[in-house]
Amino acid sequence: MAKGLILAIDAMGGDAAPEVTVAGAELFLAARPDASVRLHGDETQLKPLLSKSSDRIEIVHTDLYVTSDMKPSQALRRGKGSSMWNAIHDVKDGAAHASVSAGNTGALMAISMLVLRKMDGVHRPAMTAAWPTLRGRSVVLDVGANLEADAAQLVTFAIMGEAYARAILGIEKPTIGILNIGSEEMKGHDEIREAHEWLRNSGLDLAYHGFIEGDDISSGTVDVIVTDGFTGNVALKTGEGVARMLGMRVREALTGGILSKIGALLAMAGLKHLREQMNPSNVNGGVLLGLGGVSVKSHGGTDSRGFARACELAADLAASHFRDEVAANLEKIRQKGMAAE
């Protein structure tokens, strides 16, 4: 296989795998001549899907895969040797710089934590999501890995999210906010208020904004939104639902009559731009931050373009220094007695 950045791909994970994962991998390689991929899965299914042979694509055969209905505990017991397990193990073994899977989210988190382990100072990894805003994109974490988070964990999320936003969004000094039910300092439960005090007085070189509310997320008030996984996941799914509803309502309004259709034709360029902005494929890919390696979760129902975007995200993150930045700041808060236990 050619030298350069290498991704390990769980080719059997996802609603439309392996067709979408193979096509997405090829789209990724077309845009990244410096990269190569290791496709983990059933060779008899994968090989016919390749549009052409390439020395930048290696198929690593296994006929085992993690099903969508498999519980995390089952995946840990029965997933060894599966396409998901082997892709993640590539990162641990140094055969790849990052792994990508569109498979079972719970299984991916469990196997990633077992194989890659946690970084020193990280009590629980956090799942990120990129959120479209009026200013561009923001990073939200956690969006489902942890239902609850204490103050120390929220501080850790802030440190990881800040380094991640710098690496992926290219923002030199990302601003950070804690999601709360109000911007006043007396609002919220004890853990949120304690994390707020820690970040405000930490002495770390962080651009901490303070509390933000739900409507600040889409406004782009800050670059990094910190919350627990329960709240973050509810907010994420609510946002996705509203976006789908708006898309349907706009389509209905523009096809409701002859005048509406004429107006739609006249506004075609603007509508295409709007559709591009709302296309979930453009922001596909969540990352488990806080692990000893890069593990990216693609949406299970994504198309090939979206899967390619998740691969791009994994490649960009693997090429960055974000883990070194996280480790340095975690050590600083450990010395101040703020680290999660």
Side-chain angles (χ1 to χ4, degrees), residues 113-129:
M113 286 183 62
L114 178 67
V115 174
L116 299 177
R117 304 295 182 183
K118 296 175 291 186
M119 295 177 63
D120 289 341
V122 176
H123 179 65
R124 291 282 296 178
M127 178 70 78
T128 67

Side-chain angles (χ1 to χ4, degrees), residues 283-305:
V283 291
N284 182 46
V287 182
L288 279 170
L289 296 181
L291 297 175
V294 178
S295 177
V296 172
K297 172 67 175 75
S298 167
H299 195 292
T302 190
D303 56 13
S304 58
R305 180 181 175 186

Side-chain angles (χ1 to χ4, degrees), residues 130-154:
W131 197 296
T133 74
L134 293 176
R135 295 175 52 237
R137 284 187 293 163
S138 293
V139 172
V140 183
L141 73 165
D142 182 20
V143 292
N146 310 275
L147 294 183
E148 299 178 348
D150 61 23
Q153 289 169 330
L154 291 172

Side-chain angles (χ1 to χ4, degrees), residues 300-327:
T302 190
D303 56 13
S304 58
R305 180 181 175 186
F307 193 80
R309 178 66 192 108
C311 292
E312 293 169 11
L313 173 62
D316 291 343
L317 202 55
S320 74
H321 301 289
F322 93 99
R323 290 180 64 248
D324 295 333
E325 297 175 12
V326 170

